[in-house]
Each structure stands twice: as C-alpha cells, then as structure tokens.
Amino acid sequence: MAIIDIEAPLHEAHRDNHTHRDVNGGWLRPAVFGAMDGLVSNLALMTGVAGGAVGQQAIVLTGLAGLAAGAFSMAAGEYTSVASQRELVEAELDVERVQLRKHPKDEEAELAALYAARGVDADLARQVAAQLSRDPEQALEIHAREELGIDPSDLPSPLVAAVSSFGSFALGALLPVLPYLLGASALWPAVLLALFGLFACGAVVARVTARTWWYSGLRQLALGGAAAGVTYALGSLFGTAVG
C-alpha cells in the first residue's frame, strides 16, 4: 500500500506514490483463468482415462476431445452469459432514458440528493446536478454510474468474451496433449508439462492478487496435482471394476 509523504508537495506525492494495480484484472484475469481451467480439466480427464490402463491412442483422443468440447462449451457459456448481462444493462438504460425524457426535473432532483447524501452542500449539489443534466447523454451516463454502477460506454462484448475464452481454454488444454503429439508414449511427460503450466499460471495470477508469485504458483500446482491424482485413482478403480 502506498503512503503519501505529507512533507512532499501534493503534485510530487501524487506522482510518486499514488499508483494502483489493475484491480479488475483487465484481459489478464479471464485469459489466465481460462487457460488454467482448460489445463486442470484436461489434465484430470487424461489422467483419469490413463488410470484405466487404456492405450496411448485412447488417451490422446480423450485429450483432444476434451480440448474441443471444453473450448466450445466455454465459448458458448461466456457468450450467453455476457450477452444476457449486456441485454439486462441495456434494458435498464432504456428505463433510465425514458425517465430522463419524461421526468427530467425529478431525475435532476434525484441526482442532487445523491450528491447531498455524500456530503456535498445542498445548494452546490443542486447546481452541479442542474449543470450535468443539461446534456441528456451525459445525464444518462451519470445516472447509470450513480444508480446502476455501470459505465454505458464500456459494456462487455459477448463476442470478445467468447473468443478469448475459447482461445485461452484451448491453449491450457493443449499442454497435457502436446507431449503425445510430439512423440511421447508415456503419461509422465504430459503430467510434468501440465504441472509446470499450472505453476506458471498461478504465478501470473499473482499479478492481480496480493499474493507472492511463488505462493500462488505452488497453490495452483497443488490443486491441479490433487485433481489429477484423484481422477487417476478413480480411473484405476473403475478400470479394474469394469475390466
């Protein structure tokens, strides 16, 4: 946490200390978590099948099928989720737009009351609300921010969400399959590469959290490794029972 030196001039203190990380994660968070999801799910799927003592071809086909199915599922789910959220937001914006057109004075008074509730002098709050309400589009944006907590000019794109989810999941899911595609005939190279990928993803996640990179990496390594171990044991158990 940055601490402002009260002895320094205000502009110096602001420039030198007043910095923040991207708390929303930007593109980093969904990309890393999508890759991590693909990595953990496909590693667990492949180790579960391998535990059933099946052949190399079956493991590879399982990994490729898991990659394709998971990536398309993620993309479809993200598209539907973000599109539904955006449609809901746009519907609420339409409601606010109608209210601004039909009852401009009431909406202006509502905005002034919001500012007054936050400690602004009542007369000043009314003046500010009146000035901001002169432009209907600006008034809509301000009401959306204050009442709905959204930015009308920065709504998420369903297509971008779907494409990014598809790509990041597929990239993560590819890691356990890659050694087989490059000629490996045993499971352990795939597991080692996947575990390395888990640690790397966890370390990158530390950029959007307050944890150290090694802690975040080891935590994800442990969780992913545990998932792979459990599914391998289940595959061995069910493989023996079915066989």
Side-chain angles (χ1 to χ4, degrees):
M1 181 181 296
I3 300 176
I4 295 179
D5 182 2
I6 59 175
E7 298 296 327
L10 180 59
H11 68 279
E12 261 186 49
H14 192 278
R15 183 185 67 241
D16 295 338
N17 297 311
H18 196 76
T19 58
H20 299 284
R21 291 171 298 175
D22 178 9
V23 295
N24 292 321
W27 62 269
L28 180 63
R29 185 180 183 279
V32 172
F33 279 95
M36 196 179 295
D37 190 11
L39 183 52
V40 172
S41 61
N42 218 28
L43 173 63
L45 181 62
M46 292 175 63
T47 54
V49 172
V54 300
Q56 175 184 343
Q57 184 180 12
I59 297 175
V60 175
L61 288 175
T62 298
L64 292 175
L67 185 158
F72 280 111
S73 176
M74 284 286 291
E78 280 295 316
Y79 185 91
T80 302
S81 174
V82 174
S84 300
Q85 179 186 8
R86 186 179 179 117
E87 289 164 1
L88 175 60
V89 169
E90 289 174 343
E92 291 300 315
L93 288 175
D94 287 339
V95 171
E96 193 65 34
R97 192 176 285 111
V98 170
Q99 291 301 313
L100 284 167
R101 186 175 66 250
K102 289 185 174 180
H103 310 288
K105 290 301 180 182
D106 291 340
E107 292 297 310
E108 181 181 317
E110 186 179 74
L111 189 58
L114 283 172
Y115 290 137
R118 294 183 178 181
V120 179
D121 180 78
D123 290 336
L124 180 58
R126 284 193 292 270
Q127 293 176 26
V128 172
Q131 291 182 20
L132 294 177
S133 299
R134 291 173 183 171
D135 182 353
E137 287 304 314
Q138 178 178 252
L140 175 64
E141 181 175 337
I142 293 171
H143 278 274
R145 288 176 183 272
E146 295 292 341
E147 297 178 30
L148 304 176
I150 58 174
D151 183 353
S153 62
D154 190 28
L155 298 181
S157 167
L159 183 59
V160 170
V163 171
S164 61
S165 295
F166 183 95
S168 59
F169 185 97
L171 182 62
L174 179 63
L175 278 185
V177 188
L178 192 58
Y180 284 104
L181 298 180
L182 295 178
S185 57
L187 179 64
W188 66 266
V191 172
L192 285 180
L193 182 59
L195 292 178
F196 174 79
L198 284 168
F199 181 86
C201 284
V204 173
V205 168
R207 290 191 58 185
V208 292
T209 66
R211 295 292 186 179
T212 57
W213 64 270
W214 57 266
Y215 176 88
S216 185
L218 289 176
R219 179 176 60 183
Q220 193 56 42
L221 177 64
L223 293 173
V230 169
T231 54
Y232 184 87
L234 290 174
S236 299
L237 178 63
F238 293 146
T240 301
V242 172

